Every structure is written in structure tokens, then in C-alpha cells.
């Protein structure tokens, strides 16, 4: 029988010993999405005393390509802890991570709760809960994972690899402001390094609201939610500086030592 606490302890020990990422051993691995989220919840219980309360959520594997690669037909949810929520400009030490990578995202801060509802959330219903928006970096702690062999259920159990986020100044969401298709631009040491645009962030937020409620971990007012990367994942080397800006929203900055 699957034991969520056993899987969580295995993951916690792997992080503590700075082990390279591996899928959970078959003997303790979750066999369903529900079991994977139970393992993530058990991991949160282990990490909360060190990392503080849950401050938000993330969405991962939003593209069909990544879902097919990992053998899943839906995105994945991960947890953001208070101690890992950084204000821009932020500086991280590479030595604090096993292998940190960076994603550029639109973040939202909720102005009201999103409890379990009688019907699935929609883009319109979750938009009404958004108070502020901001540019964000996600710190991906992939522990040198082999993406092609990674299994989605192990990824979920391992908190979808969230190592923190860096958020820029918050902007109150204007009533008519369209969050879809916002242009984003990345600079590395002051030079253009990538661009993209937001892709259905409110759809991502609606999915997360439903998934969180299904896991009996509903999102609440004040939480920060990141809605998916607007461009491919990038690396950051010690001594480098990244700036990411979203048109009409603002920017966030990150340096590494």
C-alpha cells in the first residue's frame, strides 16, 4: 500500500544530501495523481517548519509536449513557501541549490479566497479574485534531472521542483487589462536574451484553483501564484544578472553569486 509519508521522507533526504534527481523507487512511488499530491502534502509538512507557511502555488508542465514526455495529460501543481518568496532585486547563491534554473512568468496575488466550488472555476471567476499582478522569476531546483526520463508523478511528489520565486513590484489589476498575450523580454547582463508572451494565465489559475481545492488545500487571499513560463527555461551563472519585464506590468531582477 502506498505511504505518502515514506515517499516524502525519501524526497526530503535526497534534498538534504544534495542527491541528483531520480524518480521515486517503484516500491514507494505513487501510482496515481492523487497519491502524488498526497506525497507532496506530506513533504510540505516536513518542510514547513524550515521554510515557513505556504505562500502560493505554481503550475508546471503546461504544454502538451512536456505532458507527453512525462506521460501525463494535465499540468502539475507545486507549492511556494514563505521563506522562498523573494522581492526583486534579489541575489541567490548558486551553492544553496543543487542545480538551479530560471523561468520567466506572470505572477498574481489573490485578493480573495478560492474555496472548493460547486462548479469548476473559469477564467472569469478567477480573474475576480486577482488583486495584483507582477513579473516573476521561478527558481527551478531540478537537481540535474534527466527530463526525458522524468515521471510526472515523481515530479509532483517532489513539489514540481519549485525552489522559490522572485517577484517584482505589484501592480493593481486594471479592470479591462487583458492578461493573455502580454509581451515579456529577458536581458542577461543588460543584453537581450529571450522573449515570449503570456499564454492563458487565467486558464492556468482556474486549473490551479480546482486542483488545490481537490487536494483540500484551497488557495486563499494573499497567496502569490505563478502562471507558467513565457519562454524556455534558462540558466544563470555566478556573476550574472537577469532582468525580466512584462509590458504594462513591470520587471523583476535576479543576480547570482
Amino acid at each position: 500500500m502506498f505511504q505518502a509519508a515514506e515517499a516524502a521522507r525519501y524526497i526530503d533526504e535526497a534534498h538534504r544530501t544534495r542527491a541528483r534527481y531520480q524518480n521515486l523507487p517503484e516500491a514507494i512511488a505513487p501510482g496515481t495523481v492523487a497519491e502524488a499530491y498526497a506525497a507532496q502534502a506530506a513533504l510540505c509538512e516536513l518542510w514547513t517548519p524550515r521554510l515557513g507557511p505556504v505562500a502560493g502555488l505554481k503550475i508546471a508542465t503546461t504544454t502538451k509536449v512536456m505532458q507527453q514526455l512525462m506521460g501525463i495529460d494535465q499540468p502539475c501543481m507545486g507549492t511556494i513557501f514563505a521563506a522562498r518568496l523573494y522581492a526583486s532585486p534579489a541575489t541567490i547563491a548558486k551553492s544553496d541549490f543543487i542545480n538551479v534554473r530560471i523561468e520567466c512568468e506572470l505572477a498574481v496575488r489573490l485578493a480573495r479566497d478560492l474555496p472548493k466550488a460547486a462548479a469548476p472555476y473559469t477564467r472569469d471567476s478567477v480573474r475576480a479574485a486577482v488583486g495584483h499582478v507582477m513579473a516573476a522569476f521561478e527558481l527551478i531546483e531540478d537537481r540535474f534531472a534527466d527530463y526525458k526520463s522524468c515521471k510526472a508523478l515523481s515530479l509532483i511528489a517532489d513539489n514540481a521542483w519549485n525552489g522559490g520565486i522572485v517577484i517584482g513590484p505589484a501592480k493593481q489589476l486594471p479592470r479591462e487589462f487583458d492578461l493573455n498575450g502580454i509581451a515579456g523580454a529577458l536581458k542577461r547582463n543588460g543584453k537581450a536574451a529571450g522573449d515570449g508572451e503570456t499564454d492563458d494565465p487565467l486558464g492556468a489559475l482556474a486549473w490551479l484553483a480546482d486542483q488545490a481545492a481537490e487536494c483540500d488545500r484551497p488557495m486563499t487571499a494573499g497567496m502569490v501564484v505563478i502562471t507558467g513560463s513565457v519562454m524556455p527555461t534558462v540558466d544563470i551563472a555566478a556573476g550574472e544578472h537577469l532582468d525580466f519585464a512584462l509590458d504594462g506590468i513591470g520587471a523583476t531582477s535576479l543576480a547570482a553569486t
Side-chain angles (χ1 to χ4, degrees):
M1 180 180 293
F2 175 71
Q3 299 291 329
E6 184 178 8
R9 287 193 295 269
Y10 181 95
I11 295 168
D12 181 49
E13 180 67 6
H15 281 264
R16 189 188 67 80
T17 59
R18 301 178 66 85
R20 188 180 185 123
Y21 176 85
Q22 294 183 341
N23 294 318
L24 284 162
E26 186 175 348
I28 64 170
T32 66
V33 170
E35 289 179 349
Y37 282 116
Q40 184 185 123
L43 184 66
C44 288
E45 291 183 8
L46 293 178
W47 284 359
T48 294
R50 302 197 297 268
L51 299 176
V54 173
L57 295 176
K58 65 162 285 186
I59 191 169
T61 60
T62 56
T63 67
K64 293 298 182 185
V65 171
M66 287 301 296
Q67 289 171 18
Q68 290 170 2
L69 183 66
M70 294 187 173
I72 197 171
D73 61 358
Q74 60 184 314
C76 302
M77 178 181 76
T79 305
I80 302 166
F81 293 90
R84 290 177 168 175
L85 199 163
Y86 308 101
S88 173
T91 300
I92 60 168
K94 293 269 289 182
S95 60
D96 289 341
F97 300 86
I98 301 164
N99 186 56
V100 64
R101 308 194 73 202
I102 310 298
E103 292 190 346
C104 302
E105 312 211 9
L106 167 70
V108 303
R109 180 176 284 120
L110 299 181
R112 65 173 178 83
D113 298 348
L114 290 171
K116 192 166 187 176
Y121 280 100
T122 65
R123 293 167 180 83
D124 288 340
S125 62
V126 294
R127 183 188 174 95
V130 175
H132 294 83
V133 292
M134 60 217 81
F137 286 121
E138 182 183 9
L139 311 178
I140 303 290
E141 173 61 291
D142 71 5
R143 294 194 286 134
F144 294 105
D146 176 5
Y147 287 44
K148 291 184 179 180
S149 65
C150 178
K151 295 181 179 180
L153 298 186
S154 286
L155 171 69
I156 291 169
D158 202 349
N159 198 35
W161 297 345
N162 181 259
I165 62 174
V166 180
I167 56 173
K171 176 177 179 176
Q172 190 167 9
L173 178 60
R175 179 171 296 182
E176 302 301 326
F177 192 82
D178 188 355
L179 292 177
N180 196 43
I182 299 171
L186 176 69
K187 291 184 178 181
R188 184 186 303 274
N189 298 332
K191 297 181 179 179
D195 57 64
E197 60 182 33
T198 58
D199 182 12
D200 195 19
L202 292 176
L205 183 59
W207 182 89
L208 277 169
D210 288 331
Q211 183 63 58
E214 184 176 330
C215 292
D216 293 321
R217 299 165 54 195
M219 292 190 284
T220 56
M223 281 189 174
V224 175
V225 182
I226 51 175
T227 58
S229 188
V230 305
M231 63 187 74
T233 307
V234 300
D235 296 305
I236 185 170
E240 288 190 320
H241 186 278
L242 298 179
D243 295 286
F244 171 60
L246 283 169
D247 284 358
I249 291 179
T252 185
S253 297
L254 172 67
T257 61

